[in-house]
């Protein structure tokens, strides 16, 4: 199934951006994932199309309005549900290819998404972007924000839970993700009270907007989608996959500026190489990331992947 990425952003031109080239770009061309943007500005009602307002209680900057952002989120939920319904219908009916197209048409009365199915697969079904599926109710399998089957809705914020490889793996194994990008001072907190939204941070630093975070998150997911990476590099033995960091890597030339690749890696003895890598991975994690090392010690079953043999070891 195609992984569906929806991004709520005031800067839709930033997508797919760097994800349009290399590994992710090829996967996009091959239909392994789709990238659609929704602009919260299309859900405004005033003539200035304002999405933000001054912070309650005073202070610098502007805050993204809960009502506007929620309207865009509800539209995204509808759209994602329609995409998934259509994709399920296609696999049921054995119809292949891309068949759902959505368009956002602002007419002052509210945004309208028109979802069209492939001929003979899904009947055209207009959905009202401003209504949540909950309020519309009734489909045979309602995919609402509160339905655990609904793909997660994430908001980029430094106040969120730090993103981990484990979470990335979970997201990549699902049907898709909706990502809300903040700007200015961030979001009106009531958005998170009123909608089921996971707040995600990509690190302890402040960006000017959530778009870079969304690109980071999507890049991490896309490389894990089936068929995106080469068969020999499943990603299973990389940093964080087994809690700790990866062992150091080397490649030709064998001697560079008087530095020689460690002898063990040139020995051809795979057991020895695996043991060396395990030891290096543990040593580096202990020194560079004591936080990870502690977690690794608390979960002793997760042996460092440095002990695994890799095709590329075989010269
Ligand atoms: N006033 C906020 C920062 C706002 S930065 C605060 O101090 O918490 C503007 C937007 O950039 C945020 O709404 C968020 O979407 C994005 N952003 C900034 N830093 C981020 C981070 N570390 N992780 C994820 N998103 C981030």
């Amino acid at each position: 199934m195609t992984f569906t990425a929806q991004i709520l952003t005031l800067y839709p031109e930033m997508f797919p951006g760097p994800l349009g080239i290399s590994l992710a770009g090829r996967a996009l061309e091959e239909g392994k994932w789709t990238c659609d943007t929704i602009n919260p500005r299309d859900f405004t009602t005033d003539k200035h199309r304002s999405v933000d307002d001054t912070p309650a209680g005073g202070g610098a900057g502007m805050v993204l309005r809960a009502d506007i952002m929620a309207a865009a989120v509800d539209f995204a939920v509808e759209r994602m549900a329609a995409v998934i319904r259509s994709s399920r219908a296609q696999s049921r009916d054995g119809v292949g290819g891309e068949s759902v197209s959505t368009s956002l048409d602002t007419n002052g009365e509210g945004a309208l998404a028109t979802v069209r199915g492939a001929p003979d697969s899904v009947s055209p079904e207009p959905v009202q972007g401003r209504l949540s599926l909950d309020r519309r109710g009734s489909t045979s399998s309602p995919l609402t924000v509160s339905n655990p089957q609904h793909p997660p809705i994430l908001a980029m914020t430094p106040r969120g839970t730090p993103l981990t490889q484990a979470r990335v793996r979970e997201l990549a194994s699902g049907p898709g993700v909706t990502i809300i990008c903040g700007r200015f001072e961030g979001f009106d907190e009531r958005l998170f009270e009123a909608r089921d939204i996971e707040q995600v941070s990509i690190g302890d630093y402040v960006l000017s907007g959530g778009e870079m975070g969304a690109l980071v998150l999507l890049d991490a997911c896309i490389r894990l989608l089936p068929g995106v990476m080469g068969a020999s590099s499943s990603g299973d033995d990389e940093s964080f996959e087994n809690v700790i960091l990866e062992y150091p890597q080397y490649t030709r030339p064998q001697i560079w500026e008087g530095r020689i690749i460690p002898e063990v890696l040139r020995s051809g003895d795979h057991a020895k190489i695996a043991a060396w890598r395990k030891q290096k991975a543990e040593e580096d994690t202990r020194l560079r990331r004591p936080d990870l090392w502690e977690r690794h010690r608390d979960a002793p079953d997760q042996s460092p992947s440095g002990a695994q043999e890799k095709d590329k070891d075989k010269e």
Side-chain angles (χ1 to χ4, degrees), residues 156-158 182-187 200-203 205-210:
M156 285 293 144
T157 163
R183 281 274 156 181
F184 321 122
E185 291 305 319
F187 308 93
V200 175
S201 162
I202 64 154
Y205 39 81
V206 179
L207 307 168
S208 55

Side-chain angles (χ1 to χ4, degrees), residues 115-118 120-126:
V115 182
R116 293 180 204 88
D120 306 317
S121 65
V122 186
S123 50
E125 184 188 10

